[in-house]
Amino acid sequence: MDLIANVLIWVIIVQGIFLGFTYIFSKKSKSKANKVLGFFLLAFVFEALTSEFFPYNYLGTYLIGDYFGLPEVKLFFPALFLHYVLEKLDRVDAYRKYLSVNYLLATLVLCLTPLNIVFHLVGNTRIRDVFGVENTNLIFMTSQYLAFGLTVVAFIVSIVETYRYKKMVQNEYTDYGMLQINWLWQFIFILLPIIILWGLELSYILAGGAGPSEYLSITWIFVFVFLYFFSFKAYRNPNLFEKVPQETQREISIRNQEKEKHPCKEEHRAKIISEMEKHQFFLNEELTLHSFAREIDMSSRLISSCVNKNMGFNFNEWVNNYRVERALEIIKSDSENKLSIEGIGSDSGFKSRSAMYAAFKKKLGHSPGHYRNK
């Protein structure tokens, strides 16, 4: 049984190394976010390998199973995880200083291993002999608790920023596909069991436990399986703002800095609906709140207020309801089913087949094909 468990563990470790390098060096899905994801996975595998499954304690006369005998990489977990999520959401600039400090701390701790090697080569001694056992233990445990705390922060920030993205898309964009981010939520929440297990382990140590607790080796297997699955889904998805015009991004930044309120009156609401239906702006698959505001010469904040408060929808739902209605008209007029679903979606303003299906499910509870020959 132990042999089977050991083989399984090493298969998982090798698979993690393979995935990590795939994410970093893949030409097909090349992006900075995926490179960061690859380093995150490799750091995670390296930590599991060195803390639980490394088969040797010595390399020649060098003791690797001691404090900082091998590189300590836990502080890279929160930095790389948060960096990846922020890359996907195009929010790195807002947290650049925070990430820089996190990376700096992680690098300083990492540098303790080369220092330990120098002490071994020059004086055949170790960090714990030079700094003292208590000080070395304090440095090590401080880095553990700091890494855990920063991981909790990374988890919370990732949730906040992803929710912010969702609300912004609902209120400012009309591409329903941009709301299909379950893969990102899943990737973020895979960190939760890791945090829980990590917290239990640190609590076990605080309570006087020595060495890894009994449940830790088993839980590594389950964590890895889920992490690999969700990281691969995250790897295959493009950055969420990859195709958003830069001009729109600047307009969003300006709008978010505005503090004034725009009360929506009946004449405003009537104009918004009239202009949308008269000129059929919803047929433009690139339509955004800001481009629509320019077209009808009205404040984007006023439009958002009218749509959200007076029509009972967010901007995304409101525009896509028009597209669904147009698609239904085309489907019902196509009595011989000559038109493809993709063509109908494109003629109705949908940017993709998946966006069309999501909008139909949201509004009507059925796929477009359900309404053929009805």
Side-chain angles (χ1 to χ4, degrees), residues 67-68 127-128 131-145 205:
Y67 286 127
F68 308 113
I127 280 182
R128 70 157 61 198
F131 294 158
V133 175
E134 290 188 3
N135 289 334
T136 305
N137 183 62
L138 178 62
I139 294 171
F140 180 80
M141 291 310 302
T142 298
S143 71
Q144 305 302 296
Y145 288 111
I205 294 173

Side-chain angles (χ1 to χ4, degrees), residues 33-173:
N34 282 341
K35 289 184 184 297
V36 173
L37 178 63
F39 282 115
F40 169 72
L41 197 59
L42 289 177
F44 203 84
V45 171
F46 183 82
E47 176 61 28
L49 180 63
T50 56
S51 64
E52 289 292 308
F53 309 117
F54 204 76
Y56 306 105
N57 282 326
Y58 282 89
L59 186 62
T61 59
Y62 178 69
L63 179 61
I64 59 179
D66 194 14
Y67 286 127
F68 308 113
L70 289 173
E72 177 58 48
V73 298
K74 284 192 182 75
L75 273 167
F76 281 103
F77 291 175
L80 291 167
F81 179 87
L82 182 59
H83 192 173
Y84 170 78
V85 174
L86 295 176
E87 282 286 351
K88 286 294 186 182
L89 298 172
D90 196 26
R91 288 282 290 166
V92 171
D93 286 344
Y95 293 87
R96 194 170 297 280
K97 290 183 179 179
Y98 176 83
L99 288 173
S100 297
V101 171
N102 200 327
Y103 278 126
L104 177 61
L105 290 173
T107 303
L108 289 175
V109 172
L110 190 71
C111 287
L112 291 174
T113 295
L115 183 62
N116 191 56
I117 294 174
V118 170
F119 288 153
H120 172 75
L121 295 175
V122 174
N124 195 27
T125 186
R126 298 170 294 175
I127 280 182
R128 70 157 61 198
D129 299 325
V130 176
F131 294 158
V133 175
E134 290 188 3
N135 289 334
T136 305
N137 183 62
L138 178 62
I139 294 171
F140 180 80
M141 291 310 302
T142 298
S143 71
Q144 305 302 296
Y145 288 111
L146 180 59
F148 176 75
L150 290 175
T151 301
V152 173
V153 172
F155 178 68
I156 294 172
V157 171
S158 296
I159 292 175
V160 170
E161 286 298 325
T162 304
Y163 181 75
R164 171 190 173 278
Y165 164 85
K166 177 184 175 183
K167 297 301 293 183
M168 182 170 62
V169 169
Q170 287 177 334
N171 291 318
E172 299 176 5
Y173 294 88

